Amino acid sequence: MSGAFRIPSAGRLSQAKTARFSFDGQSYTGIEGDTLASALLANGVHLVGRSFKYHRPRGFLSAGAEEPNALVEVKRDDARKAPNIRATVQELYDGLVAQSQNRWPSLAFDVGAVNDIASPLFSAGFYYKTFMWPKAAWKSLYEPKIRAAAGLGVSPDKPDPDHYSSRYAHCDVLVLGGGAAGIAAALAAAETGARVILADEQADFGGSLRFETGAKIDGQDGYAWAQGAIAKLKAMDNVRVLSRTTAFGYYAQNFVGLVERVSDHLQSPGHDLPRERLWQVRAKRVVLATGSIERHMVFADNDRPGIMLASAARIFLNHYGVAVGKNVGVYTANDSAYAAAIDLKKAGVNIAAIVDLRDHPTGPVIDEARALGIEVNFGRAVIRAGGKLRVTSMTVQPKNGGGERTIPVDAILMSAGWTPSVHLFSQSRGKVAFNDETKRFVPGIYAQDCVSVGACNGTDGLAASIDEAYAAGAKAAKDAGAKTAKGTKPKVDASESWSRGMLGAAPGAGPDKTVKAFVDFQNDVTAKDIRQAVHEGMRSIEHVKRFTTNGMATDQGKTSNMHGLAIAAETLGKPIPEVGLTTFRAPYTPVTFGAIVSHSRGPLFDPTRKTAIHPWAEAQGAVFEDVGQWKRAWYFPRGSEDMHAAVDRECVAVRTNAGLFDASTLGKIEVVGPDAAKFMELLYTNPWEKLEPGRCRYGIMLREDGFIYDDGVVGRLAPDRFHVTTTTGGAPRVMNHMEDYLQTEFPHLNVWLTSITEQWAVIAVQGPKSRDIIAPLVEGIDMSDQALPHMSVREGKICGVPTRLFRMSFTGERGFEVNVPADYGQAVWEALWAEGQKHGAAAYGTEAMHVLRAEKGYIIVGQDTDGTVTPNDAGLDWAVGKKKADFVGIRGLTRPDLVAKGRKQLVGLKTKDPKVVLEEGAQIVADPKQAIPMKMIGHVTSSYWSQNCGRSIALGLVAGGRDRMGETLYVPMPNGVIEVEVAGMVFFDETGGRLNG
Amino acid sequence: MLLIRCPYCEEERPELEFRNAGEAHIARSANMAGESDDDFEKFFFIRSNPKGIIYERWRHIHGCARFFNAVRDTVTDKFVMTYKAGEPKPAKLPGASK
Ligand SMILES: [Zn+2]
């Protein structure tokens, strides 16, 4: 037997298929097809959680996605502990382990429940009022304490071992919601041959047909009709049917995010299935058939376990075969709760009484309830519920006051009416309109190509909903370009009666200030809190919402928004539309990070770029650093060397013998065409027209504002061909910058730009013996200093493959950069390495490269410059063509602030104690004794230990730096002030003689 | 995610393929070096920030790589139309709101 409250004659589940599960360590048996909620209820368990703020005992309010109370942790193993799972959504599987949250030491005895007694402290706005001062205590004291005390679930502390997948999909018609209306719309659209996607958040399609026993369509029971229609749709090639799939976000131009729960309901999902799948759907037309959500009655202690929505009790009975009690009371302001009472009564459950707030309701359900012998009371209110861990009674009073009567019950079903689910419509930026007659917000002005049908559109009655949906489905398909439908509209033979309900607080909800009549169960907001917010001056619903947190929990106020709004409007004495409805935002229900991230985690988080020479460096034991997406060899430790020792050795080797460096990551752009030189003139500060083919020049690129944007050595291969290099990180934006000017400002220039970064591997061979290493491998290039001086380039062959051989240096030594097609990169490197071994060469990494260039005062754009540095600031005025009529940045350079005295200039910094290495980014002051905050006159941009200089070296930007040569400045650090002397930027070989060999 | 029509590819493609490139129809002076401080300020720093129709440059960076111009409504976020770089500001906008 799968629980004492299971009624074998009711429901659609097969009693034979049992599933064992545990909740808070206690073992239970359910049935396959149960949700955790229906399985617990079948075992008589109503108490499943403690509330957020007051730690009040809570049970199930609903049977679906709107559930605010029954949030539990579902645990498969230590890494798979999912918190805040709605027990009404989680499907049961054999072996499921769940536990309650937000209670200590146990669910029945929770110490935190003292908050309920101390609740005046926690009234509306308490976060704002109580913890305003002192400000510093917020971060250190209040927030952590509040989070610990008022948190819900605990997040898992291990990496998520599951995988998630992601798909894009396109369709003509996307139908969201698989109830009667959604199915009808999907049928109509599908029959035209249009590509249709139908999605529903439930495991089973049918929506309210899952509990509406009074519905008959095409001669069948409503639920059976739905299953038949779904089977038909699934069999069609042009239709994709997605169950367990929630449309959580509606974005621009009919772009809708869906999340499909693929394996959370399976006992052993296996590794080939993702846990969830994100669908990003672009639909030509969207049909919203999202239904409506029942509202609860707002009365004192309406949150006791056992008190739930009438429709939930019907689903539990009619779908899962579970009675939610043995002696059930009903409190309603509309007809639909009668149907629940009737269904339960017929299943053998005692209905203690129906309490109807309305004075003289009439209709078939009322007659039927009476005929079944159910006590029906009109014009009365439930003013209080008894019991604590489970409801034990309801106290009834005439709604205008009078004698009280307490009726023993073990469950109360309530219904205040139905709220159209306009969430997705609102997310689509549609504007809702208030229907004063039915007191509902329904879709008003549409912003996108979508249409609402059925209950979410405020359409009442099954036949009207199906008519509307079928027509809308056919029209959507037609508007998307499909042919006219040739199917037949489903015919409704019988349906249930519908009536309006009420909004706001019922008579049992105050104004007594001690009464807790809940509006928002998940955030513990009562009717009193909302009245108080208005009394304290909140006028708009947006303010009331933030002040009380009504509707701000993860359930997004699906059951509470309309009540809260009505209470605020009543207190303000204004009509509801004047107080306004809050905007609904994505996600409709919580979405896991896993689904959104999908495969983009770990190594797939971001592309990794590796050079052709990477495998060699890896085999040599290089330590790599990330430079943008590139992996670059940082240093090559030998034996037990640490980084410091390795870098020192590499730096000395380059200046003593030679070094090999993988410079392949340098950005490279080929600028080709008859106007190539004219284009270069405009994009770089330097003159290019007169640069002879075969020669190179260091170029500076500015933005229009005159600040350095990028730099690099440019070789002119031919009158119409430049080989431009850029910084490693700057390559894409330099290419973009060039394309922008070429396409839009200088389109008259006949030039082609090609990114060649990945086509050429670049091997820098630097040092006194560099030529000796290269020369034996080169064919067709005269390597003599006369024929190939510093800053020249030749094309020829090396190791039998084509090369663009640059004589250039970023170390201050005689140097070459050997460009070879990337496919030959490693082979040429290995050949050069073998030659290098004969001359004592070392491989060096990016750290040694940085030290060597700093010894020579060569800047690195982005390290020694920060987007506010001009060529003059960086000591590079010589590279700006003074006779040029135009280049990008020419006007920016003459802006008043850029030519003003006292700008920060790049200078060398020498610590008085040569052993002290400054910290990059450290601030520089002129007087260390001044009061804090000190006047900072600059900062350190580059700083290293230089083994070649036998001392520390640094570069820094200092106000008026070049006029301070020899001056002593100070760098205040936590452990004391460091004295530095302002010096020139070149620390090694000041005359530059080594460059020319 | 918006759909943007590339006037060169003559196709609507998802926003992911494009990158915004700032306000359109701000011409670089042919006599840049001779611009006054005020004119340079207008050219480089001052941008309109309208509620409603805005003229923008976009680049089909992950497509044909061309820069083009677009008219967008900043209220609805919708693209009203797109046209090729160098073409004048359209005199009439199709179906513009307000
Ligand atoms: Zn394009």
Side-chain angles (χ1 to χ4, degrees):
Chain A
M1 186 63 188
S2 57
F5 287 81
R6 191 80 66 176
I7 300 179
S9 60
R12 304 187 178 100
L13 311 185
S14 163
Q15 300 283 334
K17 294 183 180 171
T18 58
R20 286 156 302 136
F21 69 102
S22 82
F23 178 66
D24 279 351
Q26 174 89 38
S27 295
Y28 299 99
T29 305
I31 301 178
E32 268 185 29
D34 262 329
T35 58
L36 179 58
S38 67
L40 282 167
L41 287 170
N43 287 280
V45 178
H46 279 258
L47 173 63
V48 285
R50 287 276 176 170
S51 72
F52 180 61
K53 201 158 70 178
Y54 301 132
H55 288 243
R56 305 235 324 173
R58 288 286 165 80
F60 305 97
L61 178 71
S62 74
E66 68 269 37
E67 179 58 35
N69 286 334
L71 306 179
V72 299
E73 177 185 287
V74 175
K75 179 180 173 181
R76 284 189 194 266
D77 53 43
D78 275 352
R80 292 178 176 88
K81 283 191 297 187
N84 301 334
I85 298 295
R86 286 154 296 163
T88 53
V89 172
Q90 175 65 52
E91 293 172 58
L92 194 67
Y93 53 81
D94 195 43
L96 184 142
V97 178
Q99 62 178 29
S100 57
Q101 304 179 152
N102 205 28
R103 84 288 186 268
W104 186 84
S106 75
L107 190 51
F109 178 75
D110 172 23
V111 169
V114 70
N115 284 4
D116 195 15
I117 299 155
S119 61
L121 291 175
F122 291 88
S123 65
F126 95 106
Y127 287 107
Y128 300 107
K129 292 174 198 161
T130 315
F131 303 109
M132 284 296 284
W133 186 91
K135 209 174 162 188
W138 178 254
K139 217 170 132 189
S140 59
L141 182 64
Y142 298 145
E143 194 183 342
K145 292 282 176 211
I146 293 167
R147 283 196 188 281
L152 282 171
V154 179
S155 29
D157 49 11
K158 290 202 167 70
D160 187 345
D162 290 319
H163 70 278
Y164 299 78
S165 75
S166 173
R167 289 190 63 174
Y168 288 95
H170 296 262
C171 65
D172 296 316
V173 182
L174 171 64
V175 182
L176 301 173
I183 292 171
L187 283 170
E191 281 155 0
T192 67
R195 291 173 306 156
V196 176
I197 296 176
L198 169 64
D200 191 87
E201 65 187 352
Q202 302 282 344
D204 276 301
F205 282 83
S208 61
L209 297 173
R210 294 160 75 238
F211 61 83
E212 282 189 5
T213 44
K216 296 262 179 302
I217 305 169
D218 287 344
Q220 301 175 76
D221 158 65
Y223 180 79
W225 168 83
Q227 305 318 304
I230 291 298
K232 184 180 164 189
L233 287 165
K234 278 183 176 167
M236 296 170 82
D237 289 340
N238 56 325
V239 182
R240 186 188 292 280
V241 176
L242 297 169
S243 60
R244 300 187 177 93
T245 303
T246 304
F248 64 83
Y250 196 135
Y251 305 97
Q253 288 174 288
N254 278 355
F255 190 68
V256 182
L258 316 173
V259 67
E260 181 184 5
R261 295 177 298 282
V262 180
S263 60
D264 269 356
H265 63 291
L266 301 176
Q267 185 190 348
S268 347
H271 290 296
D272 52 339
L273 277 185
R275 180 175 171 223
E276 295 176 331
R277 181 179 290 127
L278 177 73
W279 290 86
Q280 297 177 75
V281 182
R282 179 82 67 177
K284 285 186 186 156
R285 292 292 182 279
V286 174
V287 177
L288 297 167
T290 48
S292 57
I293 292 171
E294 196 167 23
R295 291 186 302 276
H296 57 281
M297 296 294 286
V298 180
F299 63 100
D301 299 326
N302 59 344
D303 63 328
R304 294 308 186 198
I307 305 180
M308 65 174 67
L309 299 173
S311 58
R314 281 189 94 188
I315 294 181
F316 289 128
L317 178 70
N318 296 336
H319 192 76
Y320 301 103
V322 173
V324 297
K326 292 189 190 302
N327 182 36
V328 177
V330 176
Y331 183 24
T332 187
N334 78 11
D335 281 0
S336 46
Y338 283 80
I342 291 163
D343 287 352
L344 280 162
K345 178 78 178 175
K346 285 179 176 168
V349 175
N350 186 54
I351 302 298
I354 294 175
V355 180
D356 194 327
L357 201 55
R358 296 174 296 178
D359 288 323
H360 305 291
T362 53
V365 281
I366 293 159
D367 298 341
E368 190 181 356
R370 283 206 162 116
L372 285 166
I374 299 172
E375 178 193 330
V376 179
N377 302 282
F378 295 150
R380 283 176 162 70
V382 172
I383 56 164
R384 188 182 325 122
K388 190 146 189 277
L389 300 181
R390 173 79 185 265
V391 63
T392 54
S393 66
M394 59 181 188
T395 299
V396 181
Q397 191 183 38
K399 71 179 188 190
N400 298 318
E404 295 181 9
R405 174 186 159 210
T406 296
I407 304 171
V409 293
D410 61 0
I412 300 174
L413 314 185
M414 31 177 198
S415 179
W418 294 80
T419 307
S421 291
V422 295
H423 307 79
L424 291 172
F425 170 78
S426 177
Q427 284 185 28
S428 81
R429 291 186 161 194
K431 289 213 169 26
V432 293
F434 190 69
N435 182 320
D436 204 41
E437 198 192 326
T438 59
K439 302 286 178 216
R440 298 184 292 205
F441 281 102
V442 291
I445 300 164
Y446 282 85
Q448 299 202 36
D449 290 331
C450 63
V451 59
S452 300
V453 295
C456 73
N457 195 34
T459 304
D460 302 322
L462 186 59
S465 286
I466 286 186
D467 282 1
E468 175 178 78
Y470 193 82
K475 182 175 187 301
K478 188 164 176 264
D479 292 346
K483 297 184 288 279
T484 328
K486 51 178 189 276
T488 36
K489 187 171 74 183
K491 185 172 166 293
V492 175
D493 305 311
S495 63
E496 298 189 351
S497 67
W498 186 88
S499 68
R500 283 161 213 164
M502 69 165 297
L503 290 173
D512 180 346
K513 287 203 190 313
T514 61
V515 162
K516 279 204 186 65
F518 286 92
V519 174
D520 180 335
F521 294 97
Q522 199 177 352
N523 263 354
D524 270 350
V525 180
T526 64
K528 183 203 71 179
D529 292 329
I530 292 172
R531 294 188 189 111
Q532 187 193 331
V534 172
H535 291 142
E536 294 196 14
M538 308 302 137
R539 289 294 174 269
S540 133
I541 195 63
E542 293 288 354
H543 296 152
V544 171
K545 172 179 161 175
R546 280 159 182 77
F547 196 65
T548 61
T549 71
N550 191 58
M552 288 174 70
T554 57
D555 69 336
Q556 289 213 356
K558 291 184 179 66
T559 49
S560 62
N561 276 335
M562 289 307 295
H563 281 323
L565 179 59
I567 295 167
E570 188 188 5
T571 315
L572 282 163
K574 280 185 180 173
I576 284 173
E578 281 184 31
V579 183
L581 182 68
T582 56
T583 308
F584 296 100
R585 294 189 176 87
Y588 174 71
T589 50
V591 179
T592 62
F593 283 114
I596 291 168
V597 169
S598 190
H599 294 295
S600 304
R601 53 189 278 195
L604 299 181
F605 175 70
D606 202 29
T608 301
R609 301 174 79 184
K610 292 176 181 172
T611 71
I613 297 147
H614 187 93
W616 185 90
E618 212 166 23
Q620 293 286 314
V623 177
F624 292 88
E625 67 166 336
D626 290 334
V627 180
Q629 292 171 333
W630 288 104
K631 294 280 177 201
R632 298 198 72 180
W634 196 10
Y635 57 96
F636 293 82
R638 282 185 189 166
S640 59
E641 275 181 344
D642 62 5
M643 177 173 173
H644 190 80
V647 171
D648 284 354
R649 174 182 49 73
E650 291 169 19
C651 289
V652 170
V654 172
R655 299 217 186 279
T656 316
N657 298 317
L660 265 68
F661 173 71
D662 180 3
S664 303
T665 65
L666 270 185
K668 295 175 278 293
I669 298 167
E670 202 160 287
V671 178
V672 184
D675 298 322
K678 276 195 190 122
F679 181 73
M680 291 297 294
E681 289 274 337
L682 285 165
L683 269 288
Y684 282 82
T685 59
N686 321 61
W688 299 96
E689 298 271 22
K690 292 197 177 120
L691 182 71
E692 281 172 29
R695 296 308 304 254
C696 303
R697 185 160 281 167
Y698 168 74
I700 297 179
M701 173 178 269
L702 306 181
R703 301 190 313 185
E704 291 285 9
D705 56 9
F707 295 132
I708 296 176
Y709 190 60
D710 202 71
D711 69 349
V713 170
V714 177
R716 190 170 196 173
L717 297 170
D720 62 350
R721 186 175 297 261
F722 291 84
H723 180 115
V724 176
T725 68
T726 75
T727 56
T728 293
R733 62 181 160 78
V734 169
M735 184 72 185
N736 190 71
H737 179 83
M738 286 184 170
E739 279 286 353
D740 191 352
Y741 277 97
L742 180 60
Q743 289 184 34
T744 64
E745 295 295 350
F746 314 130
H748 55 281
L749 296 181
N750 191 356
V751 174
W752 290 89
L753 303 172
T754 311
S755 167
I756 52 168
T757 302
E758 299 198 337
Q759 276 57 45
W760 294 96
V762 184
I763 303 161
V765 186
Q766 303 274 315
K769 303 197 175 148
S770 54
R771 185 173 55 187
D772 302 335
I773 293 167
I774 297 173
L777 304 175
V778 170
E779 297 162 49
I781 300 172
D782 182 345
M783 297 287 290
S784 70
D785 285 336
Q786 294 72 28
L788 189 66
H790 179 56
M791 293 305 262
S792 53
V793 58
R794 295 288 179 276
E795 291 181 273
K797 284 196 166 175
I798 186 165
C799 304
V801 303
T803 182
R804 289 179 178 178
L805 182 66
F806 285 73
R807 166 113 191 235
M808 57 180 280
S809 176
F810 201 41
T811 60
E813 300 297 325
R814 171 203 293 279
F816 300 88
E817 288 193 0
V818 181
N819 286 249
V820 290
D823 287 350
Y824 300 105
Q826 182 155 332
V828 174
W829 172 283
E830 282 171 0
L832 286 164
W833 178 247
E835 287 296 323
Q837 293 311 287
K838 300 173 192 166
H839 300 279
Y844 66 102
T846 50
E847 188 64 22
M849 177 271 283
H850 276 106
V851 176
L852 292 163
R853 66 88 201 176
E855 288 172 353
K856 292 297 300 175
Y858 298 149
I859 68 160
I860 289 188
V861 170
Q863 175 168 347
D864 300 301
T865 71
D866 60 4
T868 67
V869 175
T870 67
N872 186 285
D873 297 342
L876 299 169
D877 222 15
W878 56 266
V880 179
K882 304 294 178 304
K883 291 178 192 152
K884 291 173 67 169
D886 195 9
F887 58 83
V888 174
I890 191 167
R891 179 60 184 83
L893 283 178
T894 61
R895 290 191 289 144
D897 282 355
L898 270 62
V899 294
K901 282 252 176 284
R903 285 187 61 81
K904 286 183 184 169
Q905 293 170 328
L906 205 57
V907 291
L909 298 169
K910 285 181 173 166
T911 51
K912 292 276 165 83
D913 176 350
K915 296 241 173 331
V916 173
V917 182
L918 292 167
E919 210 162 295
E920 287 174 358
Q923 297 292 326
I924 299 165
V925 300
D927 170 14
K929 297 207 172 70
Q930 61 187 303
I932 293 171
M934 296 189 182
K935 182 177 166 50
M936 295 174 289
I937 59 169
H939 67 275
V940 179
T941 60
S942 292
S943 175
Y944 310 93
W945 172 257
S946 163
Q947 188 71 9
N948 287 313
C949 299
R951 59 158 301 125
S952 72
I953 57 169
L955 301 175
L957 281 163
V958 178
R962 288 200 290 273
D963 293 335
R964 292 180 187 267
M965 287 300 145
E967 215 174 282
T968 298
L969 297 175
Y970 303 88
V971 179
M973 296 299 289
N975 299 327
V977 174
I978 302 168
E979 280 184 61
V980 299
E981 186 189 309
V982 179
M985 283 169 65
V986 184
F987 299 91
F988 188 86
D989 183 29
E990 274 190 62
T991 55
R994 300 170 71 97
L995 268 177
N996 302 313
Chain B
M1 189 171 29
L2 295 167
L3 286 172
I4 302 172
R5 181 182 167 81
C6 172
Y8 295 96
C9 297
E10 300 187 336
E11 235 187 285
E12 272 198 332
R13 306 292 304 168
E15 191 183 338
L16 277 179
E17 295 183 8
F18 298 84
R19 190 171 299 161
N20 183 285
E23 193 168 350
H25 302 293
I26 296 171
R28 189 177 187 276
S29 168
N31 177 26
M32 199 63 199
E35 290 284 279
S36 70
D37 279 349
D38 283 352
D39 287 344
F40 183 76
E41 182 194 34
K42 279 193 199 104
F43 163 74
F44 190 75
F45 294 103
I46 307 300
R47 293 293 179 269
S48 61
N49 185 20
K51 181 179 180 182
I53 295 298
I54 189 167
Y55 297 82
E56 294 175 320
R57 298 180 335 115
W58 284 77
R59 186 178 185 202
H60 195 186
I61 179 102
H62 301 298
C64 65
R66 301 296 298 266
F67 284 84
F68 60 90
N69 293 328
V71 187
R72 193 168 60 87
D73 188 326
T74 60
V75 177
T76 63
D77 229 19
K78 278 183 186 152
F79 277 77
V80 177
M81 65 179 292
T82 57
Y83 50 101
K84 291 178 180 174
E87 289 179 7
K89 238 182 203 184
K92 237 178 101 185
L93 299 179
S97 76
K98 283 151 268 180

